[in-house]
């Protein structure tokens, strides 16, 4: 027996497994010889699911508010968290599902674990190391 035999067996086994995997991906129906078949997109990929009557079903995912414009003051309620990333960042996990990176605010109120209501200014002109969402410059904060 030569040293190439195990390598040959390994290569043949790999080729057979690769062939089986590719066979599993083949279409289940083959077109007739000489006919041309144009793939059609599936109906589920082309349109959202609909209810009887043709109207789209309502989404069960939470509704996310549209992004605020730079400098716009918004009111947000949520839970303050400290994320230990790149030296640490204070973020607000808003009830709406959006995460804001907080800038400023009274540390006695805006502290990890607190549920707060914040009036803040969205700052898109600032980049941060944490990149945990839009920067929200705290104008006022109060416990919620």
């Amino acid at each position: 027996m030569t040293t190439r035999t195990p390598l040959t067996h390994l290569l043949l086994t790999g080729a057979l497994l690769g062939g089986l995997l590719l066979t599993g991906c083949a279409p289940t129906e083959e077109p007739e010889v000489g006919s041309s078949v144009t793939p059609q997109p599936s109906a589920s990929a082309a349109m959202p699911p609909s209810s009887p009557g043709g109207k789209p079903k309502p989404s069960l995912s939470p509704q996310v508010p549209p992004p605020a414009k730079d400098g716009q003051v918004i009111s947000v309620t949520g839970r303050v968290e400290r994320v230990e990333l790149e030296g640490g960042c204070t973020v607000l996990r808003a009830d709406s599902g959006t995460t804001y990176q907080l800038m400023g605010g009274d540390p006695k109120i805006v502290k990890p674990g607190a549920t707060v209501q914040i009036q803040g200014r969205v700052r898109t002109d600032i980049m941060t190391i944490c990149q945990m969402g839009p920067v929200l410059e705290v104008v006022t904060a109060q416990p919620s």
Side-chain angles (χ1 to χ4, degrees):
M1 192 179 229
T2 67
T3 58
R4 292 184 185 182
T5 304
L7 180 58
T8 305
H9 288 292
L10 183 62
L11 291 173
L12 285 173
T13 303
L16 286 171
L17 287 174
L20 288 172
L21 286 173
L22 289 175
T23 301
C25 295
T28 56
E29 297 178 18
E30 294 189 22
E32 295 180 20
V33 177
S35 68
S36 66
V37 176
T38 305
Q40 299 294 322
S42 69
S44 63
M47 299 181 71
S50 60
S51 59
K55 294 183 181 178
K57 290 182 182 176
S59 172
L60 297 178
S61 62
Q63 298 298 315
V64 178
K69 296 178 182 173
D70 186 35
Q72 179 180 0
V73 176
I74 60 172
S75 179
V76 186
T77 302
R79 186 173 181 86
V80 178
E81 295 181 7
R82 180 77 177 168
V83 177
E84 294 303 325
L85 176 70
E86 298 292 337
C89 304
T90 303
V91 299
L92 179 71
R93 305 271 185 198
D95 294 343
S96 66
T98 305
T99 300
Y100 296 94
Q101 184 173 340
L102 295 176
M103 183 174 85
D106 183 352
K108 293 176 185 170
I109 297 172
V110 182
K111 60 185 178 185
T115 302
V116 295
Q117 181 178 15
I118 292 180
Q119 297 285 321
R121 185 171 289 113
V122 176
R123 300 287 304 269
T124 60
D125 60 330
I126 297 175
M127 293 181 64
T128 67
I129 292 174
C130 292
Q131 300 181 16
M132 294 296 297
V135 174
L136 186 62
E137 180 181 11
V138 178
V139 175
T140 62
Q142 62 186 24
S144 174

